Every structure is written in C-alpha cells, then in structure tokens.
Amino acid sequence: MVKKKDIIVLGSLNMDLVVNTSKFPNLGETIVCDKFYTAPGGKGGNQAVAAARLASQEYKVKFIGRVGKDIFGEEILKNLKRENIDTSFVKITNNISTGIASIFIMPDGENSVNAVYGANYEIDKSQINDFEKISDNVGVLLLQQEIPDTTLKLILKSAHKKQIPVILDPAPYKENVIKFYKNINIITPNEIEASRISNTEVKDIPSAKKAARFIRNLGCDNVIITLGAKGIWIEGENISEHVKSFKVNAKSSVAAGDAFNGALGYGIVKNNNLLDSIELAIATSSMSVTREGAQNSMPLIGEVIEFINS
C-alpha cells in the first residue's frame, strides 16, 4: 500500500479581533459598530483548518510555526488540535505576543485588516529544520508571506531542492520575494496582489490574464489569480483560462483566499489534478463566504461535495 502524503502548512497564526461595522471611520471619527468577537486566525492557521476539514483524517495536516506564551496562543493551539491538526512543531515563544489581526467587516462582506504579526516574525531556521525532519512524506507545502522574508526564501529553496510541491499565497505583498518565484509550483495572488506584482491593474478577466502571464514569466509553474465573485484566472504550461465561481450570498470574505488555498492543497495531495483541485477550491471558498468568521467558516468535505453536486 502506498503511504499517503502529508499536508504541511508553515506560516502564520493570529488571533482575529473582528468588528462588524457599517462604515470605515475617517481620521478622528468614532463609529458605533454592530458586533465584536475574537476567533483563531492567521493565513496559515486558516489554510490548515480548511485542509483538515476536507482531509477528514484521511490525510495528516501538520503545522509549523510560532505563538506567544499567552492566552491567545493557548486558545489557537487548542483550536488546531480540535481540528485534528498536528501541532508538534508549533513553538511557544517567550517575551513576545501571539500575532493578532484587527478585522473590520462591512455589511457587504468586504473587509480590511490591520495585523501585528508578533511571534510569527520569530519564525526562523529552526522551523526550516523542523520541516526538513518531516519532508520525506510531504505531499504539498502551503506558505504565506506573514513570516520573515529570509525564512520564506530559505524554505522555498529547501522545498524546491526536495521537489516538494509548493503553494504560495503572496500576501501581504513583498517585492523582494519575487526573485524566488522560480521555486514555486502554484502562486495564488488576489486582484490587489496580482496588480502589484505585475504592475498591471487587475480589474477584469482580460487584465487578470495579462497579469497572470507576467507573473508566470517570473518563474512560477502555475499562476492562479483569485477574482472573488468573478472566479479565477489560471495560467500554466498547458492551460490559460477563466474558471467561474459559484453564485452565493456572501456574509464575509475574511478567509475566502485561505479556504481556496487549503482546499487546493488538499486536492493536489488527494488526486494531483490541478483543474479538479481548482473546482474543489472554488467551491470551498464560495461556501466559506456565506459564513461568519475565518476558521469557523471552513466547510467539511461532505458539505463541499453536496454543494458542487447541487
């Protein structure tokens, strides 16, 4: 029997501080808002939960990262364990806080985020060493840019050398990481990130196509630009096409990209078919925006299959 490969997420863990608001305040202005709650988040954490809920213990999801020695860190770790995510390689870091993200959500589901990355920015070579300890059974590595640039570059080199498929969410945008795109199998910028990487304003399908071709020429094997309700544009060696999204009533887009990436990683490990994995990722992302929260919004595999079939 062939041993099933693991899904590895190396990246950020934050506690989300979420405010539902009717408008964004101007400088010096106070807005009375509708709702406040906290929830475990971080792009890495969100992607891990998305993958784990789809994997449903069929595949192992392992997390490599850091939290602070505080209440937020404790709650984040408890939540990851509840989701059947292996946290053996999450280091509790003294004298620095767990990362946090202040998220403001508008009535139409759009959001803005102010983040303080805290312990995430202490991720260093020791986490790369942890990755290399378990790299023999890695089926896919999910990365984001909420960790130090030097660490990100080193992990990209390590994974490329070991021929491990890498999916990078290039958020937040970092110009000095672009020269390492040649080590990436799949990159998944949204419209804003794609615009900054390509110096092309991505506002529709033709501009997404142009930006995707520019980004692929930087060295990535496959470029997937996520376009929200408009779906995605995929640009690869044997594919260049627009894939539509599902029509849903959105409540919050907070972790839509993370849902997409986590599902994409699961699909790659499950069947190694990019287009099938993209369909699964779009469905998972579409379902996530109909629910509040980040990790709480991630659907189970049975729900996604039913959603696609319906």
Side-chain angles (χ1 to χ4, degrees):
M1 181 182 292
V2 178
K3 187 177 181 181
K4 292 182 178 179
K5 297 284 188 175
D6 298 333
I7 301 166
I8 306 299
V9 183
L10 190 154
S12 55
L13 294 167
N14 295 326
M15 182 61 74
D16 291 343
L17 314 177
V18 186
V19 176
N20 287 16
T21 182
S22 59
K23 61 172 289 190
F24 298 128
N26 298 314
L27 288 177
E29 182 182 15
T30 298
I31 300 293
V32 178
C33 300
D34 304 321
K35 184 179 180 181
F36 170 79
Y37 58 93
T38 62
K43 289 184 177 300
N46 297 343
Q47 291 175 16
V49 171
R53 289 192 177 182
L54 298 179
S56 188
Q57 301 187 51
E58 181 184 6
Y59 297 87
K60 290 182 180 178
V61 179
K62 298 180 179 179
F63 200 97
I64 302 173
R66 289 180 182 254
V67 294
K69 192 174 183 179
D70 52 30
I71 293 173
F72 286 164
E74 290 177 11
E75 183 55 38
I76 286 170
L77 286 176
K78 286 179 183 177
N79 190 68
L80 292 178
K81 291 173 182 176
R82 282 195 293 265
E83 298 289 348
N84 297 309
I85 296 167
D86 186 338
T87 61
S88 303
F89 296 104
V90 179
K91 184 174 181 179
I92 299 173
T93 311
N94 293 320
N95 302 318
I96 191 164
S97 68
T98 298
I100 65 99
S102 297
I103 303 175
F104 297 87
I105 302 176
M106 298 289 283
D108 62 0
E110 291 301 316
N111 69 89
S112 68
V113 181
N114 287 65
V116 179
Y117 289 125
N120 295 307
Y121 259 53
E122 298 298 311
I123 292 175
D124 57 20
K125 196 169 182 179
S126 64
Q127 276 67 60
I128 297 173
N129 292 338
D130 288 339
F131 167 73
E132 291 179 343
K133 290 176 187 175
I134 57 176
S135 60
D136 289 346
N137 199 52
V138 177
V140 68
L141 172 64
L142 298 177
L143 298 171
Q144 323 81 41
Q145 295 184 172
E146 295 183 316
I147 64 174
D149 298 355
T150 52
T151 309
L152 183 60
K153 294 170 186 176
L154 288 172
I155 192 67
L156 284 171
K157 283 185 176 180
S158 176
H160 183 70
K161 184 177 180 180
K162 295 174 181 293
Q163 297 184 314
I164 294 170
V166 172
I167 301 174
L168 175 70
D169 178 358
Y173 167 77
K174 294 182 177 181
E175 183 177 0
N176 59 351
V177 178
I178 290 176
K179 61 183 177 181
F180 291 88
Y181 282 3
K182 62 182 181 291
N183 297 324
I184 298 169
N185 301 89
I186 303 173
I187 191 168
T188 60
N190 63 18
E191 292 162 291
I192 295 172
E193 294 142 11
S195 297
R196 298 193 68 181
I197 296 168
S198 67
N199 293 312
T200 299
E201 184 183 1
V202 177
K203 57 184 179 180
D204 50 25
I205 304 305
S207 58
K209 177 180 179 180
K210 180 180 178 181
R213 290 187 171 180
F214 180 96
I215 297 169
R216 187 167 186 271
N217 285 335
L218 295 172
C220 306
D221 293 335
N222 298 282
V223 180
I224 301 174
I225 298 181
T226 58
L227 303 166
K230 296 189 289 291
I232 63 104
W233 182 272
I234 167 70
E235 191 73 30
E237 183 177 357
N238 299 309
I239 185 170
S240 178
E241 67 179 74
H242 171 236
V243 182
K244 293 181 180 180
S245 185
F246 295 89
K247 291 183 179 180
V248 295
N249 294 318
K251 287 185 178 179
S252 172
S253 62
V254 167
D258 301 329
F260 182 92
N261 277 35
L264 187 64
Y266 164 74
I268 294 298
V269 170
K270 175 75 172 176
N271 59 31
N272 201 33
N273 182 290
L274 184 56
L275 280 178
D276 287 347
S277 299
I278 287 172
E279 181 185 24
L280 179 75
I282 291 176
T284 302
S285 179
S286 296
M287 289 192 71
S288 77
V289 303
T290 66
R291 305 170 176 182
E292 291 186 337
Q295 294 175 15
N296 289 339
S297 72
M298 304 302 175
L300 301 171
I301 185 63
E303 294 176 314
V304 178
I305 292 171
E306 182 179 353
F307 177 78
I308 292 173
N309 291 337
S310 65

